Amino acid sequence: MFLYTSDEEDDSVCRDEQEGSVISSLISQLRVGMDLHKVTFPTFVLEPRSMLERITDFMSHPDLIFGAENCDDPQERFIRVLQYYLAGWHIKPKGVKKPYNPVLGEFFRCRYDYPDGTKGFYIAEQVSHHPPISAFYYISPANKVCILGELRPKSKFLGNSVSTTMEGENRILLMGRPDDGEYVISMPNMYARGILWGKMVLELGDSCTARNERSGLCAELQFKTKGYFSGTYNAISGKVKKNNSDVGEISGKWSSVMDYKTSKERRVLFDVTKEGQKIAPKFVPPEEEQEPNESRRLWSKLTTAITAKDMDAATEAKTAVEETQRELARIRDESGKEHAPRFFAQNKEGRWIPKFTIPNDPAEAEAAVQNWIWSAPPSKPSTP
């Protein structure tokens, strides 16, 4: 999954001579329409963090959803959920970048300490490699918000661009409103333009939906790509409907300002200039305290090399992780054992859910979820 530029003046970048030569070497691997899962991208297009950590961008503005359960109007609760989701897209690296593809068994965990003394917790794990699936879970017991879901990216080469279809969903629960059930949100597609020639640019495109079946509310959102001769980057529009009748309209740019308009009012959903820097900080233990397959420790050498702009060292570090994974896969194949995810399991519908049941009491829940996420790794059986 690629990430995006935000401001329009930064929406395209020129590759330097070294990057151009590396891109050219990929041409022999590529065929129009082919799946890119097995194609190795050069390290200069990598953002120095894992996809498992990138998902936390959607938990960056918790004030937009905290307290939503106190709204008596179901439509207002629905809009608050939409705000949370739409506010996550503006966070970006400069230029055309993609986070690391997580390896099987990799996980990322962190804690949020909010100004009012409440806490939030996040865990994500790569539960499948073929096909790639990232499962994630966020919860703030005191603020009565739970977010879980899974991402299943599929990328294709289209000539001078790459498209990434993000299958999977975000499922949001307002625990203070259990009768609401789940708010389910899908993902737009992503397009990396200018892969082989011209200026490189990344865009969100096509549609996604947000729905709450119990209230009958649904939003159909269109992420618009820039036309060849006209149009603008990062535009978004959409209709909010209740039982198939229009009740409101969303417009603007996900990189700057998004508005929501009804027959009675027009209000700002999110303003990147005013609110974009107010990102909730994450607490992540130092690398020396992390387990070997935690994201930041696993990719530490690659991150250091990318930060230092040492492409040779980055390629070497990335190859070392990939070779280790191939060896682990070989050992599993020879032993006939399948990988068992540590934090997630599939339910009877085939969705990945956390191996955790939250206590009803908020204080007990906070301690329980923290103990679960930072539990000791399962002990390996002794060798006879």
Side-chain angles (χ1 to χ4, degrees):
M1 175 182 175
F2 284 90
L3 297 185
Y4 333 100
T5 56
S6 176
D7 300 323
E8 186 160 336
E9 61 268 23
D10 291 334
D11 269 323
S12 61
V13 295
C14 296
R15 68 180 62 79
D16 61 29
E17 184 175 341
Q18 183 184 26
E19 293 175 355
S21 64
V22 175
I23 282 289
S24 297
S25 70
L26 287 174
I27 296 177
S28 61
Q29 301 182 64
L30 301 175
R31 300 292 183 273
V32 173
M34 74 179 295
D35 190 317
L36 296 185
H37 180 64
K38 295 184 178 180
V39 174
T40 300
F41 279 88
T43 53
F44 72 80
V45 303
L46 297 177
E47 182 199 9
R49 60 175 176 168
S50 173
M51 179 64 193
L52 299 181
E53 182 173 357
R54 189 268 179 252
I55 299 170
T56 63
D57 289 354
F58 290 94
M59 291 77 186
S60 295
H61 301 286
D63 54 299
L64 298 176
I65 196 169
F66 286 174
E69 76 279 357
N70 297 322
C71 303
D72 291 330
D73 182 3
Q75 185 173 323
E76 180 62 22
R77 297 197 297 274
F78 185 80
I79 295 302
R80 292 284 294 275
V81 171
L82 271 183
Q83 284 183 295
Y84 135 78
Y85 173 74
L86 293 174
W89 291 112
H90 78 91
I91 303 169
K92 52 85 181 179
K94 182 177 175 60
V96 178
K97 302 292 181 182
K98 67 182 294 292
Y100 310 146
N101 292 327
V103 300
L104 185 64
E106 177 186 339
F107 67 94
F108 177 83
R109 55 189 173 184
C110 68
R111 187 187 76 231
Y112 297 87
D113 298 321
Y114 300 120
D116 63 357
T118 61
K119 298 180 184 298
F121 304 91
Y122 172 86
I123 178 72
E125 182 179 11
Q126 193 70 6
V127 295
S128 174
H129 186 60
H130 296 296
I133 301 175
S134 304
F136 61 92
Y137 179 67
Y138 164 89
I139 189 168
S140 180
N143 292 295
K144 303 178 181 179
V145 172
C146 174
I147 302 167
L148 67 160
E150 58 193 64
L151 299 180
R152 302 188 297 272
K154 293 182 178 180
S155 297
K156 287 187 177 182
F157 177 61
L158 303 177
N160 192 34
S161 63
V162 169
S163 70
T164 301
T165 301
M166 291 301 299
E167 297 181 356
E169 295 172 323
N170 299 271
R171 301 189 296 277
I172 299 93
L173 296 166
L174 303 179
M175 295 185 292
R177 292 277 181 170
D179 291 343
D180 281 6
E182 294 181 337
Y183 294 79
V184 182
I185 309 178
S186 64
M187 307 284 280
N189 296 329
M190 299 101 192
Y191 296 92
R193 316 288 192 189
I195 292 297
L196 301 179
W197 63 84
K199 291 188 176 182
M200 296 184 289
V201 60
L202 277 145
E203 299 183 274
L204 295 178
D206 308 317
S207 63
C208 74
T209 60
R211 63 185 186 277
N212 180 258
E213 292 185 359
R214 296 189 183 180
S215 67
L217 286 160
C218 175
E220 299 173 351
L221 304 174
Q222 291 289 329
F223 289 80
K224 301 178 181 180
T225 58
K226 186 179 184 297
Y228 190 79
F229 294 107
S230 62
T232 184
Y233 289 116
N234 308 341
I236 184 174
S237 65
K239 300 282 188 180
V240 176
K241 300 183 178 183
K242 182 176 177 62
N243 299 325
N244 295 320
S245 297
D246 291 353
V247 295
E249 182 177 346
I250 293 171
S251 61
K253 297 175 70 173
W254 53 263
S255 59
S256 55
V257 180
M258 290 172 283
D259 295 325
Y260 178 59
K261 180 182 179 182
T262 68
S263 59
K264 297 180 180 179
E265 65 169 348
R266 186 184 190 100
R267 69 195 237 201
V268 174
L269 282 179
F270 192 71
D271 186 328
V272 173
T273 301
K274 293 182 179 180
E275 307 294 333
Q277 301 303 313
K278 300 176 183 179
I279 295 174
K282 300 186 290 282
F283 168 76
V284 182
E287 287 179 12
E288 61 269 19
E289 297 178 14
Q290 296 178 23
E291 294 180 29
N293 56 332
E294 285 193 62
S295 294
R296 290 191 180 179
R297 181 174 173 182
L298 177 70
W299 297 106
S300 177
K301 292 182 179 179
L302 175 57
T303 298
T304 299
I306 289 176
T307 302
K309 298 183 179 180
D310 186 338
M311 190 180 299
D312 291 336
T315 300
E316 182 179 346
K318 182 171 179 284
T319 300
V321 172
E322 293 168 346
E323 288 297 330
T324 299
Q325 291 305 305
R326 292 188 186 99
E327 177 63 16
L328 291 174
R330 184 189 64 79
I331 293 173
R332 284 194 302 271
D333 289 342
E334 291 181 352
S335 66
K337 294 181 180 179
E338 293 186 0
H339 172 77
R342 174 174 167 184
F343 296 97
F344 294 85
Q346 282 185 293
N347 63 12
K348 59 183 180 181
E349 287 83 27
R351 299 192 308 192
W352 289 94
I353 60 174
K355 297 179 180 180
F356 175 73
T357 301
I358 185 169
N360 292 325
D361 180 80
E364 292 180 9
E366 188 170 288
V369 70
Q370 181 159 294
N371 289 336
W372 170 64
I373 290 178
W374 275 277
S375 60
S379 58
K380 296 182 180 179
S382 58
T383 303

